[in-house]
């Protein structure tokens, strides 16, 4: 602004001192050369005024403008605008100094005519409008190449979990342990190797005595059942089947003394029907005829039509010299239907002897 004020003052001084009357004719050569610097001066002053008036608006627009992804382009644009403004100011200073120097030369020369001009009125800067924002936007160069977005790291496919090995699902049986043990005992009776089933059945139900007796018999065939038999007879002293089996095994081994001891132990017990019949046979072989007769009679009370029991009773009475009782038992045995052919032949022979006595 100080440069503009100095320039205006110089123009006023020059117009007041060197004015010529309008009647004086100015040569064409000099009149064509003198007005040119003044016109240029006016244009430069106008440009400076406009730039000075617009500069706050341009700065405010640049401050409020959105920040582009590339900051360097905005800084370059601002530097370019500052350089243009600085160059304009320097050109104005140079033109002003030239004009002042020319005025000083014209005042020193008396022959230099001057033309009285009307007072110069400076044009007021027009108010800024919206198109200014577009011009500012054009000044800021756009980046030639936009930065490419960084590629996202490729996600590696997750390894698929290996399928788990199928596991055997053991379903809980609705049967009780005792029922499962009895079922195994029934299956063992038809198996070629029943020992594993018998052991498993006893693990489920230790009181399943038929399974233990069957296991002892199989082990005794290899000479390995004595320990199990002794422990069973000791653990279950009310079970007559264990001493009866022990008496049979001792009798088969030829140890009649041991067989009689086991038979004496079983005499005070009441065995099951099957084991009662086996005890009667052992007692008959050892000469315990009274015990044998008692067992057969007990069996006949349960099954009066069983020919085998009648045959056993007749044989026990015949061996005990009860001939009448033996003849009655033989006839009942011969009338039955379940007697074997060999037993029938023996009964007929004995009845012939008894009838002819």
């Amino acid at each position: 602004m100080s440069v503009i004020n100095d320039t205006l003052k110089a123009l006023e001084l020059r117009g007041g001192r060197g004015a010529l009357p309008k009647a004086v004719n100015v040569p064409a050569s000099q009149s064509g050369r003198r007005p040119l610097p003044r016109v240029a001066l006016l244009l430069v002053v106008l440009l400076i005024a406009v730039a000075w008036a617009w500069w706050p608006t341009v700065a405010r627009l640049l401050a409020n403008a959105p920040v582009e992804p590339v900051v360097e382009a905005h800084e370059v644009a601002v530097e370019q605008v500052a350089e243009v403004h600085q160059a304009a100011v320097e050109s104005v200073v140079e033109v002003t100094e030239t004009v002042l120097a020319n005025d000083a030369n014209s005042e020193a020369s008396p022959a230099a005519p001057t033309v009285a001009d009307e007072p110069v009125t400076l044009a007021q800067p027009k108010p800024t409008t919206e198109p200014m924002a577009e011009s500012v936007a054009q000044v800021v160069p756009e980046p030639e190449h936009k930065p490419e977005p960084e590629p996202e790291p490729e996600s590696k496919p997750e390894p698929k979990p290996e399928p788990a090995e199928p596991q055997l699902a053991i379903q809980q049986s609705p049967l009780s342990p005792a029922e499962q043990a009895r079922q195994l005992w029934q299956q063992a009776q038809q198996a070629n190797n029943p020992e594993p089933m018998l052991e498993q059945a006893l693990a489920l139900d230790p009181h399943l005595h038929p399974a233990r007796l069957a296991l002892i018999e199989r082990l005794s065939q290899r000479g390995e059942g004595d320990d199990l038999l002794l422990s069973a007879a000791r653990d279950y002293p009310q079970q007559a089947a264990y001493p009866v089996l022990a008496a049979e095994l001792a009798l088969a081994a030829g140890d009649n003394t041991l067989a009689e001891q086991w038979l004496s132990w079983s005499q005070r017990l009441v065995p099951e029907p099957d084991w009662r019949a086996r005890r009667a046979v052992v007692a008959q072989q050892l000469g315990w005829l009274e015990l044998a007769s008692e067992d057969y009679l007990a069996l006949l009370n349960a099954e009066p039509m069983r020919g085998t029991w009648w045959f056993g009773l007749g044989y026990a009475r015949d061996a005990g010299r009860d001939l009448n009782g033996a003849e009655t038992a033989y006839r009942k045995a011969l009338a039955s239907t379940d007697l074997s052919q060999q037993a029938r032949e023996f009964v007929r022979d004995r009845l012939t002897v008894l009838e002819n006595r």
Side-chain angles (χ1 to χ4, degrees):
M1 294 298 291
S2 62
V3 174
I4 297 173
N5 294 331
D6 294 340
T7 304
L8 294 176
K9 290 179 180 180
L11 291 174
E12 292 176 359
L13 293 174
R14 179 181 171 187
R17 289 179 302 180
L20 297 176
K22 293 183 178 180
V24 179
N25 293 326
V26 180
S29 60
Q30 294 181 1
S31 62
R33 187 174 61 248
R34 294 293 296 172
L36 181 61
R38 293 185 179 185
V39 174
L41 179 60
L42 290 174
L43 292 176
V44 171
V45 171
L46 180 61
L47 177 62
I48 293 173
V50 172
W52 188 268
W54 285 2
W55 174 249
T57 304
V58 173
R60 185 173 61 257
L61 292 175
L62 292 176
N64 296 330
V67 179
E68 297 293 333
V70 182
V71 183
E72 295 179 357
H74 177 70
E75 294 178 356
V76 171
V78 174
E79 291 178 359
Q80 291 178 355
V81 174
E83 291 177 358
V84 171
H85 178 68
Q86 183 66 24
V89 173
E90 292 177 357
S91 63
V92 170
V93 173
E94 292 177 359
V95 172
T96 304
E97 292 177 355
T98 304
V99 171
L100 293 176
N102 293 332
D103 292 341
N105 293 331
S106 62
E107 291 176 359
S109 177
T114 59
V115 178
D117 297 333
E118 295 179 0
V120 178
T121 59
L122 296 176
Q124 296 296 328
K126 297 180 180 180
T128 58
T129 57
E130 292 298 330
M132 184 61 189
E134 298 180 358
S135 62
V136 174
Q138 293 178 358
V139 174
V140 181
E142 296 182 357
E144 295 181 359
H145 300 285
K146 295 183 179 180
E148 297 181 357
E150 297 181 358
E152 298 180 357
E154 297 181 359
S155 58
K156 296 182 179 180
E158 298 181 357
K160 297 182 179 180
E162 297 181 357
E165 297 181 358
Q167 297 180 356
L168 180 60
I170 301 176
Q171 297 181 354
Q172 188 175 1
S173 175
L175 301 177
S176 63
E179 292 174 345
Q180 296 179 37
R182 186 167 294 277
Q183 192 176 39
L184 288 171
W185 155 239
Q186 294 175 356
Q187 295 175 1
Q189 293 177 4
Q190 301 175 358
N192 296 328
N193 184 22
E195 293 183 11
M197 293 184 181
L198 295 174
E199 292 176 354
Q200 188 176 0
L202 291 173
L204 292 171
D205 185 10
H207 297 280
L208 188 59
H209 300 293
R212 184 178 288 104
L213 291 168
L215 181 60
I216 292 173
E217 288 181 336
R218 292 193 60 87
L219 294 176
S220 298
Q221 295 176 3
R222 304 194 301 265
E224 300 176 358
D226 294 343
D227 295 338
L228 182 58
L229 179 58
L230 290 173
S231 61
R234 190 167 46 247
D235 295 338
Y236 305 99
Q238 301 301 323
Q239 294 293 325
Y242 294 115
V244 171
L245 177 59
E248 287 182 348
L249 295 176
L251 185 61
D255 193 349
N256 293 346
T257 304
L258 183 59
E260 289 179 353
Q261 292 177 357
W262 283 112
L263 188 60
S264 177
W265 184 349
S266 68
Q267 188 176 5
R268 54 189 176 87
L269 300 175
V270 179
E272 298 293 330
D274 293 344
W275 288 98
R276 183 182 283 271
R278 295 174 67 168
R279 186 176 70 174
V281 173
V282 174
Q284 190 174 348
Q285 291 177 356
L286 290 176
W288 292 34
L289 300 177
E290 185 179 356
L291 179 59
S293 298
E294 292 177 358
D295 288 338
Y296 283 126
L297 288 173
L299 293 170
L300 287 170
N301 290 331
E303 297 177 304
M305 301 302 296
R306 184 76 177 267
T308 305
W309 307 150
W310 286 113
F311 173 76
L313 180 59
Y315 188 84
R317 287 176 177 179
D318 193 4
R321 308 307 297 174
D322 184 5
L323 300 180
N324 293 329
E327 183 178 359
T328 303
Y330 284 147
R331 291 183 184 280
K332 288 186 178 292
L334 193 61
S336 65
T337 59
D338 62 334
L339 198 63
S340 64
Q341 186 64 31
Q342 185 178 2
R344 285 180 180 277
E345 293 178 359
F346 178 83
V347 169
R348 288 192 185 99
D349 294 340
R350 287 305 298 167
L351 282 175
T352 301
V353 173
L354 292 175
E355 289 175 354
N356 295 329
R357 68 179 184 273

